[in-house]
Amino acid sequence: MSYHSVVCVKQVPDTAHITGEAMKADGTVNRAALPTIFNPEDLHALEVALEVRERFGGTVTALTMGPPKAADVLRDCLFRGADRAVLVTDRRAAASDTLATSYILSRAVRTLGSVDFVFCGRQAIDGDTAQVGPQLAEKLGFPQVTYLQQFIDLRDRTARLRRNVGNGWEIVDVRLPVLITVLDAAGEPRPPAARRVMQYKRARVRAELEAEVKAERPSAAGTELEAEVERRAEALRARGLMLEQWSLDDIRADPAWCGLAGSPTKVHRVQSIVLTKSGYTEIPPTEEGIRRLIRELVVDHTLG
Amino acid sequence: MIPVNRNGEVWVFAEQEDGALHDIALELCGKARELADRLGVQVGAVLPGWNVRELGYRLIPHGADRVYLVQDRRLEHYQTQPYARALCTLVEQHRPQIVLFGATPLGRDLAPRVASALRCGLTADCTDLDVADVDDPAAKTTHRNLLLQIRPAFGGNIIATIINPQRWPQMATVREGVMPLREPNMQRKGEIVAAPVTFEEADFAVRLVERHREPRKVNLKGARTIVAGGGGVGSKANFKLIHDLAGAIGGAVGASRAAVDGGFIGKEHQIGQTGTTVRPALYVACGISGAIQHRAGMEESAKIVAVNWDREAPIFGVAHYGIVGDLNQVIPLMIKAIKERPKE
Ligand SMILES: Cc1cc2nc3c(=O)[nH]c(=O)nc-3n(C[C@H](O)[C@H](O)[C@H](O)COP(=O)(O)OP(=O)(O)OC[C@H]3O[C@@H](n4cnc5c(N)ncnc54)[C@H](O)[C@@H]3O)c2cc1C
Ligand SMILES: Cc1cc2nc3c(=O)[nH]c(=O)nc-3n(C[C@H](O)[C@H](O)[C@H](O)COP(=O)(O)OP(=O)(O)OC[C@H]3O[C@@H](n4cnc5c(N)ncnc54)[C@H](O)[C@@H]3O)c2cc1C
């Protein structure tokens, strides 16, 4: 048998390490100042897909939607063993909420043809919703198995999976095709393979070539620019280093269901968390000080 | 997607497992009651399961006017697709204006599937909900009485208010333990209506082979007082101090992730973004720096006492009482003071 797995990966700002520099004067987060990383749980999703390929045969396609810079995570997938990588990028996809994101990803998966597994991370660390996986499953009409802890077995196109549901676990059987969201408990991601890094570090999507040529030849005009981009693309293609880049038209996505227009949720207001020093009562660390504190807590009925 | 329907009810999904309602179902009923009173509409609760009619009677005192009971033997254990079909069928029939789910592992598996099928919006993991008129300058209109869905995002570094002006119902998942659990009103009247739903064979594509649930050993959410220890406690042996203080007060033991990662105590005691969210009457934080992921789980506590020898520790930013000092000296003094406290 040969199974086709698609892994959805997202490039995210490193929200766990937000420093002073990443805050703007008005107290909001300056995304541009944050380093971007591979969404942590997506690395685990990729690992499970690669293990499925090793155990049962097949191919692994990495799929991401984002700006051209998101090609970074696609290269990382190739370094770690993915067979194919696709970027969906389109201005009309910007500001998509999870419903629009999952619609666009579903069109891209459909465009890939026959698919047996779609793997997602459980949650991305920027939007923090964990909604894209289940929504993508619904759009594809696939059953979903969330919170994968262990991929146990695969027989007769039925996968046996162990999921962690917080207050326990369960083992389920599901017929393919299926969408699975993966926890970080499901296998340690393998590191990039040195040989594959050498092989793929020059891989590019077309939008990156366009940006490179524009930066190198600021005066180049339309057709000249196009010709140079095409020349470089041809050279990369010959070496299997041209990554696929799809627009909404390429995946036959209806723009009305994408981007801001296709997103029913609207961000009305955003506040950054700034520590407000509201002022607390300081208690001296002495026997008498602590006695007073306890007495106060008894008097206001906090303590019985 | 259903059209904007200002007379629609406010709904909650009544999560239950093994014949017991999840606390979140009751918390949501209370919040839904408050929102519905402001909107002048009724509260509905959707209760899918098998042999769960009794649970419906518990929802009414907490605020439900109507419980939609969906019973089928195959709904005994939660499964995404049949539960989603039940919700979608009922939403399309009754057109509620708001649907709330718990942001539990189950709720976060179910709600997005439902939202996608209905093609409506879904706000994740809300910590507060409100109702207000919202101006829309672009369309030169004011949306009356929208649900304001307030949630942390970006790893807890920002708080976003999300609205859903056009494509209804307005749906959200709500974090456990952030809406106060109100006293039930046993005089409240309500009805339980059987809501038949037709399932398809394909809804049961996932087959449960084996299932294991751990009894909740620590009841952090129900505790009136929590004494929590952090990395500053230093060792598993020294964590006895925290247990002793909790014992003296009669409270539960909590921990920061540093304490859990250090092996001082089990993960089920962790408080914060990836642990439990609590709002006790008293929270005593000992040797906890107060990282944002920790504060996210405890800053709603009514009274916070912080013990830390670093005056600059962020925990003091949310504390009501601060003791700058070595916890190894302060905690024994606290235990002594509690044992000798005056009785009210
Ligand atoms: C402050 C803020 C709050 C928001 N709140 C909401 C909200 O409440 N509801 C809502 O609908 N939208 C919300 N959004 C929009 C949401 O963040 C985006 O739609 C985002 O593209 C996907 O959501 P997520 O980051 O939460 O992903 P998750 O749903 O957490 O991602 C789960 C998995 O889906 C896959 N995945 C997600 N995005 C992509 C992608 N672009 N390419 C490939 N795979 C992907 C990955 O495998 C990932 O691990 C919010 C955005 C901001 C900035
Ligand atoms: C995605 C993500 C999710 C997370 N989720 C959580 C979560 O749910 N809960 C959580 O708690 N953390 C969480 N964290 C981790 C969080 O960022 C912090 O690392 C953690 O809370 C630190 O714990 P701490 O303050 O106890 O330890 P430390 O950072 O080690 O701080 C110890 C404190 O104790 C003080 N101290 C030391 N010795 C003494 C003494 N003898 N007397 C008095 N004071 C002393 C020190 O001054 C210091 O302030 C998460 C992180 C990430 C990235």
Side-chain angles (χ1 to χ4, degrees):
Chain A
M1 275 307 287
S2 164
Y3 300 92
H4 183 196
S5 295
V6 176
V7 187
C8 297
V9 294
K10 187 181 184 190
Q11 187 177 50
V12 293
D14 189 357
T15 56
H17 299 98
I18 292 191
T19 56
E21 290 112 71
M23 301 304 274
K24 292 192 232 166
D26 63 357
T28 56
V29 181
N30 179 9
R31 278 180 182 244
L34 286 175
T36 53
I37 56 169
F38 200 120
N39 182 50
E41 285 177 327
D42 300 355
L43 278 176
H44 297 269
L46 174 65
E47 179 61 30
V48 174
L50 293 171
E51 283 169 14
V52 166
R53 183 186 67 189
E54 279 152 16
R55 283 172 69 189
F56 307 103
T59 56
V60 173
T61 301
L63 169 65
T64 192
M65 175 186 101
K69 190 177 179 327
D72 291 341
V73 291
L74 293 181
R75 275 183 289 273
D76 203 341
C77 290
L78 293 170
F79 297 163
R80 290 171 203 260
D83 301 292
R84 181 178 174 188
V86 178
L87 170 72
V88 177
T89 190
D90 196 308
R91 279 179 206 287
R92 295 167 294 176
S96 291
D97 72 359
T98 61
L99 187 73
T101 300
S102 57
Y103 168 70
I104 296 166
L105 292 175
S106 76
R107 289 305 319 155
V109 172
R110 287 291 179 219
T111 306
L112 286 168
S114 162
V115 168
D116 301 294
F117 290 102
V118 177
F119 291 100
C120 288
R122 177 193 54 115
Q123 182 164 334
I125 61 167
D126 53 343
D128 274 341
T129 68
Q131 290 176 181
V132 170
Q135 293 188 318
L136 176 54
E138 193 282 332
K139 297 264 172 280
L140 293 168
F142 289 8
Q144 72 195 48
V145 176
T146 48
Y147 319 127
L148 181 84
Q149 193 177 22
Q150 190 193 353
F151 191 107
I152 300 175
D153 204 0
L154 176 56
R155 269 185 214 171
D156 306 328
R157 293 193 60 76
T158 297
R160 175 157 291 191
L161 309 167
R162 179 180 165 121
R163 53 194 298 260
N164 180 328
V165 292
N167 62 337
W169 51 264
E170 41 196 51
I171 292 175
V172 298
D173 278 351
V174 61
R175 296 267 307 159
L176 308 190
V178 60
L179 181 140
I180 298 173
T181 78
V182 178
L183 295 176
D184 58 9
E188 210 33 52
R190 68 195 62 192
R195 186 184 52 77
R196 293 185 68 95
V197 173
M198 292 310 293
Q199 187 180 352
Y200 288 111
K201 66 184 179 193
R202 283 184 225 295
R204 292 290 180 274
V205 295
R206 190 176 185 91
E208 289 178 300
L209 293 184
E210 285 166 3
E212 274 171 30
V213 174
K214 271 188 201 143
E216 285 169 29
R217 309 182 182 183
S219 56
T223 45
E224 187 195 340
L225 204 122
E226 268 302 301
E228 178 58 17
V229 169
E230 193 42 50
R231 197 186 60 74
R232 293 187 188 191
E234 202 43 59
L236 285 181
R237 211 170 284 130
R239 295 158 60 202
L241 295 179
M242 200 54 203
L243 303 179
E244 288 155 274
Q245 175 184 324
W246 293 350
S247 69
L248 294 183
D249 303 320
D250 295 325
I251 57 176
R252 290 189 291 122
D254 179 351
W257 290 105
C258 305
L260 209 52
S263 297
T265 61
K266 312 284 177 207
V267 177
H268 173 54
R269 190 168 48 221
V270 170
Q271 295 158 260
S272 290
I273 308 250
V274 251
L275 273 188
T276 45
K277 200 84 176 168
S278 52
Y280 57 91
T281 311
E282 188 166 338
I283 307 289
T286 59
E287 186 158 351
E288 183 39 37
I290 287 168
R291 232 178 248 293
R292 261 205 333 268
L293 166 66
I294 300 297
R295 208 176 304 136
E296 212 168 299
L297 292 175
V298 170
V299 168
D300 72 8
H301 300 284
T302 300
L303 281 180
Chain B
M1 173 176 42
I2 60 168
V4 169
N5 167 20
R6 300 200 182 278
N7 301 319
E9 295 178 337
V10 177
W11 275 15
V12 304
F13 165 69
E15 179 172 343
Q16 55 85 22
E17 189 173 60
D18 295 330
L21 277 178
H22 197 296
D23 277 355
I24 188 74
L26 304 177
E27 293 166 18
L28 290 179
C29 276
K31 188 66 190 180
R33 182 74 263 155
E34 180 196 318
L35 297 172
D37 286 344
R38 287 169 62 188
L39 294 165
V41 299
Q42 298 206 303
V43 173
V46 180
L47 175 60
W50 178 238
N51 279 336
V52 290
R53 175 175 280 271
E54 285 309 308
L55 302 182
Y57 293 108
R58 284 196 63 207
L59 295 166
I60 294 168
H62 280 91
D65 296 302
R66 196 163 293 112
V67 177
Y68 298 92
L69 183 66
V70 187
Q71 297 221 79
D72 188 302
R73 184 180 295 281
R74 295 169 296 179
L75 301 182
E76 179 177 5
H77 296 303
Y78 169 75
Q79 280 196 48
T80 316
Q81 285 169 277
Y83 273 58
R85 180 175 302 276
L87 265 301
C88 290
T89 306
L90 295 180
V91 166
E92 277 167 350
Q93 262 169 24
H94 300 277
R95 304 186 168 194
Q97 57 180 302
I98 293 172
V99 185
L100 305 176
F101 298 77
T104 58
L106 189 161
R108 297 183 84 177
D109 178 86
L110 174 64
R113 185 103 193 177
V114 173
S116 176
L118 294 169
R119 298 190 180 190
C120 64
L122 177 64
T123 303
D125 208 17
C126 295
T127 50
D128 201 3
L129 298 169
D130 201 356
V131 166
D133 295 342
V134 177
D135 288 326
D136 186 343
K140 292 201 175 64
T141 55
T142 298
H143 301 286
R144 272 188 34 242
N145 278 340
L146 279 191
L147 182 67
L148 303 187
Q149 303 156 81
I150 297 148
R151 65 165 303 227
F154 234 69
N157 292 283
I158 62 171
I159 299 280
T161 302
I162 312 258
I163 53 172
N164 195 341
Q166 269 122 16
R167 287 155 61 182
W168 280 20
Q170 306 166 88
M171 298 216 322
T173 62
V174 178
R175 196 179 284 186
E176 291 172 73
V178 301
M179 302 295 169
L181 186 53
R182 287 172 214 284
E183 284 299 315
N185 171 2
M186 293 306 179
Q187 314 310 320
R188 274 192 56 82
K189 297 262 180 300
E191 58 174 338
I192 298 192
V193 292
V197 172
T198 314
F199 298 101
E200 288 172 14
E201 207 40 53
D203 292 337
F204 300 92
V206 177
R207 195 174 68 81
L208 190 58
V209 178
E210 198 181 335
R211 165 174 189 280
H212 176 80
R213 291 291 181 274
E214 272 136 34
R216 271 226 170 270
K217 286 186 291 283
V218 276
N219 184 9
L220 283 172
K221 278 185 30 182
R224 225 183 101 74
T225 305
I226 294 174
V227 180
V233 179
S235 68
K236 184 170 181 178
N238 208 38
F239 215 78
K240 181 168 183 306
L241 273 176
I242 305 296
H243 290 283
D244 288 350
L245 179 57
I249 300 184
V253 174
S256 71
R257 186 155 113 182
V260 171
D261 288 350
F264 307 169
I265 192 162
K267 164 102 179 133
E268 66 279 12
H269 291 269
Q270 184 175 315
I271 288 173
Q273 189 187 316
T274 43
T276 308
T277 300
V278 296
R279 46 187 310 161
L282 176 64
Y283 190 92
V284 186
C286 307
I288 294 180
S289 62
I292 187 150
Q293 296 88 356
H294 187 78
R295 294 200 313 268
M298 49 66 74
E299 63 196 349
E300 298 276 309
S301 307
K303 283 266 159 64
I304 297 171
V305 176
V307 183
N308 196 305
W309 64 16
D310 174 9
R311 182 175 292 282
E312 299 301 315
I315 191 73
F316 289 121
V318 296
H320 302 95
Y321 297 98
I323 306 177
V324 181
D326 183 351
L327 64 90
N328 296 298
Q329 278 147 28
V330 171
I331 293 179
L333 290 177
M334 291 177 84
I335 294 173
K336 184 156 181 278
I338 285 163
K339 290 197 170 142
E340 297 167 4
R341 72 180 178 278
K343 292 279 180 235
E344 261 295 275

